Each structure stands twice: as structure tokens, then as C-alpha cells.
Amino acid sequence: MPSPKLHFEDFHIGRVFELGPKTVDAAEIIEFATEFDPQPMHLSEQAGKASILGGLSASGWHTSSMFMRMMIDSYLLSSVSEGAPGIDVMEWKKPVLAGDTLKGRSTVTAARAMRSRPHIGIVTFSHELENQRGETVLRSENAIMFRIRGEENAA
């Protein structure tokens, strides 16, 4: 029997969801950059070392995409998420270099039912990712909408 999906009521203030680990390799940095952010420091080790980043570095957008995947794997796929209305904060604090291993956490900071859609609740999260040295590489805050238990079929 499949596990019950996480609903709005399961996201109490202070609950923490662990993210990762995820090791970032040079090939994926270059592949993402080639497609979406072809700046030199994301395409070659030499250009990365010549930049302020200090080596082949993942694009901030690549870091955000890896973070999204970690949220998916940690809790979003096992929930009744209805998506997010946006991102309030997205900070890239340190470069993510080839060979780094990322891990982190998503912490529930607020939760409320929507007035306009009483079958949906909004949960606010604070997120952090760090590298293997314990340095924060990403910090983010955003809200995600989840169905309220028993309201799956409400319109």
C-alpha cells in the first residue's frame, strides 16, 4: 500500500526536510551552461580559475535547478503540492565548483489556509544548501501551495 501523501496539515512550523546529498561533476556543469548560461567560467576550468569564482563553477541557475531536484526528491513528489506562486529570496552565497557535494534543508516557517481557495494552504519555507566544507552556497525563501486533507476534490 502506498504511503499517504503529505498534505497542508503535515507542514507544521519548524518541520525540517533534509536535502541531498548531491555531488556536482564537471560534465554536468558544462552541459547545463552550454544550454542555458554559456559564460566562460561555467564552460572551462581554465576560465573558471581566471575568474573570481576560482574554478569551473555551476551557474547560479544550475545550482537553483539542483536545489529544486533535491526538494522534489525530499518531499514534493510525496506531497499534494499545487505548485508555488513564486520565489521571494534566491541568493547564491558561494560558488558551486566541480566536485562539490551539496546538502541542505528546507524548514517550514509559516503556514496558513487561503481565504480565496479554502481547499488550499500556503506553506512558507526557508531553504539552505551547503557544500562539503559547511559553507552556505544557496539560501532561498518561498511559499508552496498544498491541498488541505479531505479537500482533494473541492473546486
Side-chain angles (χ1 to χ4, degrees), residues 96-116:
V96 172
L97 302 174
D100 279 353
T101 298
L102 306 179
K103 66 177 182 172
R105 70 209 59 76
S106 294
T107 304
V108 176
T109 59
R112 67 174 177 81
M114 291 182 72
R115 288 188 196 118
S116 61

Side-chain angles (χ1 to χ4, degrees), residues 3-25:
S3 302
K5 296 273 189 174
L6 294 168
H7 285 70
F8 169 74
E9 296 85 349
D10 300 310
F11 294 93
H12 60 275
I13 294 172
R15 183 165 185 184
V16 175
F17 295 89
E18 297 297 325
L19 306 174
K22 159 80 173 116
T23 300
V24 185
D25 67 45

Side-chain angles (χ1 to χ4, degrees), residues 20 25-26 40 44-45 50-51 70 78 111 126 130 151:
D25 67 45
S44 86
E45 180 71 31
S51 78
M70 288 184 215
S78 60
S126 176
E130 55 190 36
E151 299 290 336

